[in-house]
Amino acid sequence: MTQLAAPARAAAPQSLSPQTALDRLTMFGWRGGLAAILAGLVLSFVLFGYWVVYFRNADMDFMVIYNALVMNDGKPQAFFDHPAYLTILSLKSWFRLLHTAGLLKAWTLSAIPPASDVAAFDAAMTGAVRAGRVLALLIALACVAIFAFLTRLIVRDWRVALLATLAFALSGGVAVHSRILRSELIAAMPVIFALMILIVMSRRASALRPFALALAAALCVIGLENKVQAILLIGALPVLILPFGSEASRSVAFWDQGSGWAAAFVAMSAAAAAVWMAFPLVTVGFDRALLDAAQLRPILFNGFGHYQAAIMLLILSCMITYARIWRISAAETVASMAAVIAGAALALMLLDVDYDSRNVIAIFNPLEKMLTFADASTSDAAHAASPGATLLMLLQGLGSVLARYTFVLRSSARPTVFLTWLIVPGLIVAWRRGERLLVLQALLLLLAAIGIDTLGVRRGLKTEYFIFTDPLIILAGAILLDRITEIGSHRFALPIGYALIALHIAIGQAEPVKYATKRTGPESICEWHGYYMPLLQLPWCPPSKT
């Protein structure tokens, strides 16, 4: 009887395991889900972006568009505050491309009718602004797609990667930057992509790993070239990557042989050549006469270049520390350091595409440039006028950030904060399970977001700034969810998942809907348009005195 029963049990069909919450939340699959996310962004753009009156987001749509029009007329760039260098260059080229294809008439400043002809002026500016908005959407779509691809390489479960992509696509930062022309998206995302590339490559030993570090360094410089605020994210990156190694990170045999040192020598030669080519930019960036003319005040020791050297030292120190922890060979470490220098130096050469010393000065002195727009208390704190006041300012900023993360104490159009409500319990669960390295990885990402937001409070921590830290929070949640697999089978997982998606849609789209449904007149920009747009008169502003 027993012998007959055993085969019968073996032949019986196995019961199918019930679908987890992750299965139901990603019912369209990887490709279908990603296509649905991108289609949703396009739909939101059409409903609450493209058709909005052209003057609704004049700050800073008009600044960027004006510079593109002026430069297409053969005149020099006029805006250098962020400095928004790549945003302006990309829009300039986009306008030229559309004009060549016969899709845009108002592609130069001379093609804009005078303000006295209000109807013609409105039509021309509407065409230019809508063209710029389409470019903003395309850049945002590309960023979401790249984020999805890199996230899938970081986590093991494609369902987790898709949910992380959904959270990013529905975040407040993407909602804003997918329909207006600002400098933050092209500044933040290259640095975020650099971090993600480093996380991927830290877990996969390869003879080509130094090339990935060169790409990451170049992306960091590219981000800085578009907005100086990226320096905060760049400064955190070397520390963030330290715990992401593994046993698989150890150098491959190539680096333990003579060929490894030969490759290191080639990398050092490439770095020397790249530095030689970029050195004229370095001399301009720290030219004291130009710095004084730009009214930049030194932060440390009455001189420039000190904290920049400290950041470089931090990067090299973290690379050495990483090599010691995860058993990276000396040859690969040297080659990687050289690759980082080469990648950064080559990316600086982008400044020569449309050279202006004011862009160079801003990028080489990002903190000094940021402080030119700070209030008096922030400026005094940065220049160490009162250490006590500095500490108090930071504590006040931290308190404001933590209140915003609760959403209850201080609400905002930032649905990503709801993820922190799950990340903190996830950290506790992972700690109790003994996954200390996982806790360190997620905790560092979360702390970096809190730290950067704390400094951003001094500028109001506007919705546009969320793009710098939302990806860090999302990545922290993704790596926790990827490892704590039992969450997907919890009875509350599905309703919580649906609630988070609903909150992301409702809160993330709040700002776009608000701007699309406003019925007030032109944005009040007359106080600055004469300075930022001296050659463009606006119909609703008094004539410029310049």
Side-chain angles (χ1 to χ4, degrees):
M1 295 283 295
T2 303
Q3 292 177 347
L4 292 174
R9 286 197 298 268
Q14 297 180 353
S15 59
L16 297 176
S17 60
Q19 279 192 322
T20 66
L22 295 182
D23 294 321
R24 296 186 180 184
L25 293 172
T26 57
M27 65 181 72
F28 297 117
W30 170 254
R31 293 183 179 179
L34 183 57
I37 291 171
L38 297 178
L41 287 176
V42 173
L43 177 62
S44 173
F45 171 78
V46 172
L47 293 177
F48 308 115
Y50 182 79
W51 302 105
V52 175
V53 63
Y54 76 91
F55 52 67
R56 180 61 63 222
N57 300 303
D59 182 4
M60 56 181 286
D61 275 2
F62 278 18
M63 300 177 189
V64 175
I65 289 173
Y66 172 81
N67 278 268
L69 296 173
V70 164
M71 294 172 75
N72 276 335
D73 249 345
K75 298 180 176 64
Q77 179 181 338
F79 181 89
F80 302 94
D81 289 352
H82 297 158
Y85 175 66
L86 297 177
T87 298
I88 293 171
L89 280 187
S90 61
L91 186 64
K92 169 192 171 185
S93 300
W94 177 246
F95 279 177
R96 183 181 295 272
L97 176 64
L98 292 179
H99 176 72
T100 302
L103 299 175
L104 181 65
K105 294 182 179 179
W107 70 292
T108 64
L109 186 63
S110 57
I112 302 293
S116 56
D117 189 347
V118 177
F121 180 91
D122 287 349
M125 285 300 294
T126 296
V129 170
R130 286 179 177 173
R133 289 173 180 169
V134 171
L135 178 62
L137 173 67
L138 294 176
I139 294 174
L141 292 174
C143 288
V144 171
I146 296 171
F147 184 87
F149 172 75
L150 292 175
T151 305
R152 188 167 184 184
L153 294 179
I154 291 173
V155 300
R156 299 170 300 179
D157 192 332
W158 67 266
R159 299 170 302 175
V160 174
L162 187 63
L163 291 176
T165 303
L166 179 64
F168 175 62
L170 295 177
S171 64
V174 173
V176 170
H177 289 288
S178 60
R179 66 199 78 228
I180 65 175
L181 291 163
R182 289 190 62 93
S183 56
E184 289 87 359
L185 183 64
I186 300 180
M189 292 317 299
V191 185
I192 293 295
F193 294 152
L195 171 63
M196 298 175 78
I197 289 171
L198 292 177
I199 291 175
V200 172
M201 296 308 299
S202 68
R203 298 172 174 176
R204 304 178 183 183
S206 169
L208 300 178
R209 188 155 50 184
F211 286 100
L213 270 73
L215 175 59
L219 287 171
C220 288
V221 173
I222 288 172
L224 187 62
E225 287 171 337
N226 208 53
K227 184 154 190 174
V228 293
Q229 192 172 341
I231 191 64
L232 304 178
L233 194 53
I234 293 171
L237 190 148
V239 178
L240 291 178
I241 200 63
L242 286 177
F244 280 96
S246 67
E247 287 296 324
S249 302
R250 184 174 181 176
S251 296
V252 296
F254 171 85
W255 294 106
D256 293 325
Q257 303 168 359
S259 56
W261 282 109
F265 176 78
V266 172
M268 289 188 290
S269 301
V275 169
W276 178 79
M277 290 188 294
F279 191 73
L281 293 171
V282 178
T283 58
V284 171
F286 294 112
D287 186 298
R288 193 56 187 259
L290 294 175
L291 290 167
D292 291 339
Q295 299 181 340
L296 298 186
R297 293 174 56 194
I299 296 177
L300 297 173
F301 313 118
N302 196 33
F304 295 89
H306 299 297
Y307 70 85
Q308 295 89 332
I311 291 175
M312 292 177 62
L313 183 61
L314 173 65
I315 293 172
L316 297 179
S317 299
C318 287
M319 292 181 72
I320 294 173
T321 303
Y322 182 92
R324 293 292 300 274
I325 294 173
W326 304 111
R327 296 184 295 176
I328 309 300
S329 71
E332 183 178 0
T333 302
V334 171
S336 297
M337 289 179 174
V340 167
I341 295 171
L346 289 175
L348 284 174
M349 303 304 294
L350 284 174
L351 293 172
D352 285 330
V353 173
D354 203 303
Y355 176 81
D356 194 294
S357 63
R358 287 168 290 186
N359 282 326
V360 180
I361 290 171
I363 290 160
F364 274 90
N365 303 275
L367 295 184
E368 290 87 350
K369 188 65 176 178
M370 289 169 64
L371 288 173
T372 60
F373 301 97
D375 55 40
S377 60
T378 303
S379 181
D380 291 342
H383 292 93
S386 174
T390 301
L391 179 60
L392 179 61
M393 182 190 70
L394 291 175
L395 290 177
Q396 290 174 342
L398 177 60
S400 177
V401 168
L402 294 180
R404 294 166 191 262
Y405 278 27
T406 67
F407 192 81
V408 177
L409 297 177
R410 186 164 185 174
S411 61
S412 67
R414 189 178 192 180
T416 310
V417 298
F418 294 108
L419 298 181
T420 63
W421 296 9
L422 300 180
I423 291 174
V424 173
L427 290 171
I428 296 173
V429 171
W431 180 269
R432 289 180 174 176
R433 289 174 46 171
E435 297 201 43
R436 304 292 193 263
L437 192 60
L438 174 62
V439 171
L440 184 59
Q441 292 170 354
L443 183 60
L444 282 179
L445 290 170
L446 182 59
L447 290 177
I450 293 173
I452 295 171
D453 282 343
T454 297
L455 297 175
V457 166
R458 303 308 303 178
R459 292 296 305 276
L461 196 58
K462 297 184 291 186
T463 307
E464 294 86 348
Y465 297 162
F466 297 164
I467 197 68
F468 285 98
T469 50
D470 276 351
L472 299 177
I473 298 173
I474 293 167
L475 286 175
I479 62 175
L480 283 171
L481 182 59
D482 188 49
R483 295 288 292 274
I484 308 176
T485 55
E486 62 269 24
I487 291 179
S489 302
H490 195 280
R491 58 175 178 167
F492 293 125
L494 188 60
I496 289 175
Y498 283 143
L500 283 174
I501 292 175
L503 286 171
H504 271 71
I505 295 175
I507 297 175
Q509 298 297 307
E511 287 295 304
V513 171
K514 181 179 74 173
Y515 277 102
T517 55
K518 286 177 67 173
R519 291 294 181 265
T520 57
E523 189 172 335
S524 179
I525 60 173
C526 297
E527 65 273 14
W528 56 255
H529 98 278
Y531 174 76
Y532 286 114
M533 303 184 297
L535 302 180
L536 181 65
Q537 180 61 43
L538 301 177
W540 60 88
C541 292
S544 176
K545 297 179 180 179
T546 58

